[in-house]
Amino acid sequence: MTVKSDKKNLLRQLPAIDKLLLLPEMQELQECYARPLVTEVLRSVVADIRDQILQGNIKLKLPKPEEYAILARQWIEEKTRSPLRAIVNATGTVTHTNLGRALLSSSACESLQNAAQNYVNLEYDLETGKRGHRDRITEPLLQQLTGCEASTVVNNNAAAVLIALQTVAKGREVIVSRGELIEIGGAFRIPDVMTASGAILREVGTTNRTHLRDYAEAINENTALILKVHPSNYKVVGFTTTPEMQELTELGTEHGIPTMEDLGSGALVDLSTYRLPHEPVVADKIEDGVDIVTFSGDKLLGGPQAGIIVGKAEWILQIRKNPLMRALRVDKLTIAALSATLLTYLNPDALLTQLPMLHRYTRSIDELHGIAKEIVDRLKTIFGETITVEITDTHSQIGSGSLPVETLPSVAVVLNPLEISAEKLAEHFRRGSVPIIGRIENDLLWFDVRTLYEKEQKQLSEAAAEVASKLGEVPEN
């Protein structure tokens, strides 16, 4: 029999879609999924088999009629699976922008779910029975935690900077040090944001040295704002000078000019309490007399993505009235998660156990070594001689532009594949049932264990078994 005739014979055996739909197994599948979807998927399954035959796979074993239901279900489950998937972050970057940044606390998740499933008093005053403002939910908490007169919340810190600048300084000059004209992830540049806001940039000083007199000499009748930008994603070291924020607020008060500081990450507590590098505390800036302070809700604070604006009521009220607020405001889900996160800060003694990110930042090196040893023992059993597995000391980073030059001592499990490249091994882990994301250094695959807990350790072992199966090394036990 020729190859051509073999192809024809196999093609003739392919079942008709209408007949497949009448099978009991297909009827059962249609009870879970709409008939048009089942029909479409069946056509895809059969078309895939047909393509394999036409490409010369004449040794292909055709599925039994009832097996088409299994194939169709697999296709449907893959087709209807959410594209937003849970993954295991073993990169060593704890607050990873590309992987969703901060993990929310249990209370924040509960609050978010409650808001999602119910009507809530988002803009309704229960006491008066009239319309209220959504800021009144988070404002009392921010007043208590930072000492601010008023606050508002927008969808991220870039939005916070944009709307604050447009409100206070559109068409007028904003004085800022050349050393603070930063660019952060996603090509977000302070000068570009200022341009978009309509404010006019007035640069003073040099990259590494700016004096108080530079700000004073730049003030004129068109000056609307003195801006200071905290370098949350870089650090200038060596021969440097920059005025303290309190000096700038005194200068602003002397000339009747408001001051603003963009803290970027933003911290509500002194992180050095937890043996972490110091980061400016929002309350300290308010105490210094800064009129407007902006910071993120989803970096060091450990809440949802948000841009938080706190400061003097005079300026916050103007920002609220900006028409742009309608485009930048947050919804009930963000407010629910943020308010629950802020409530956690009212009990500082519980922060370490209640905030997932803070706990990850502060895990001891001894604990990490214990975790790494358990993982190595499992992976050595799974991979045998095909991949060598070792423990090594390393450094994690907080990430998302927070404390950029500071690192956290950590421990990594390092995989050295002997038959494939580290890139290919990383791809196998990345494309598993639960994606495991590590990092590649020196042609080795590194899994930093700082962000791995019991659940993630189990998922890593299961992923390794999947990879070993693909490599032809399936463990007996």
Side-chain angles (χ1 to χ4, degrees), residues 301-367:
L301 196 149
Q305 177 177 299
I308 302 172
I309 310 173
V310 299
K312 303 285 179 63
E314 172 188 358
W315 302 109
I316 301 300
L317 293 176
Q318 289 186 37
I319 291 170
R320 282 182 188 164
K321 293 177 182 178
N322 189 321
L324 192 58
M325 177 60 75
R326 183 78 179 183
L328 302 180
R329 69 182 185 181
V330 293
D331 69 347
K332 66 174 183 176
L333 301 183
T334 300
I335 290 175
L338 179 59
S339 60
T341 304
L342 294 174
L343 280 168
T344 303
Y345 278 88
L346 297 181
N347 182 14
D349 293 338
L351 288 180
L352 200 57
T353 56
Q354 297 298 315
L355 291 179
M357 304 313 292
L358 185 59
H359 190 271
R360 281 161 173 75
Y361 300 149
T362 55
R363 300 179 83 181
S364 72
I365 199 72
D366 288 341
E367 178 189 359

Side-chain angles (χ1 to χ4, degrees), residues 167-209:
T167 301
V168 179
K170 184 177 181 180
R172 301 180 65 197
E173 291 185 359
V174 175
I175 303 174
V176 62
S177 168
R178 286 187 174 89
E180 297 171 4
L181 297 177
I182 65 169
E183 175 180 326
I184 62 174
F188 167 80
R189 293 181 170 185
I190 287 292
D192 294 342
V193 173
M194 293 183 70
T195 299
S197 73
I200 300 169
L201 173 64
R202 181 68 183 272
E203 302 177 34
V204 296
T206 63
T207 301
N208 62 318
R209 292 177 68 82

Side-chain angles (χ1 to χ4, degrees), residues 225-300:
L225 182 70
I226 297 173
L227 172 66
K228 189 171 184 61
V229 182
H230 177 59
S232 60
N233 70 332
Y234 77 102
K235 190 172 186 178
V236 177
V237 296
F239 192 55
T240 64
T241 296
T242 184
E244 295 295 330
M245 193 64 218
Q246 189 173 5
E247 296 179 273
L248 294 179
T249 59
E250 291 173 356
L251 179 66
T253 301
E254 180 184 344
H255 292 272
I257 299 170
T259 54
M260 171 177 162
E261 183 163 11
D262 172 28
L263 290 180
S265 299
L268 293 181
V269 295
D270 184 357
L271 295 178
S272 62
T273 303
Y274 304 95
R275 298 183 180 179
L276 294 170
H278 177 74
E279 183 77 355
V281 178
V282 178
D284 293 343
K285 301 302 177 180
I286 296 298
E287 188 175 350
D288 286 341
V290 183
D291 293 280
I292 302 169
V293 181
T294 61
F295 56 99
S296 293
D298 58 338
K299 291 184 178 179
L300 294 179

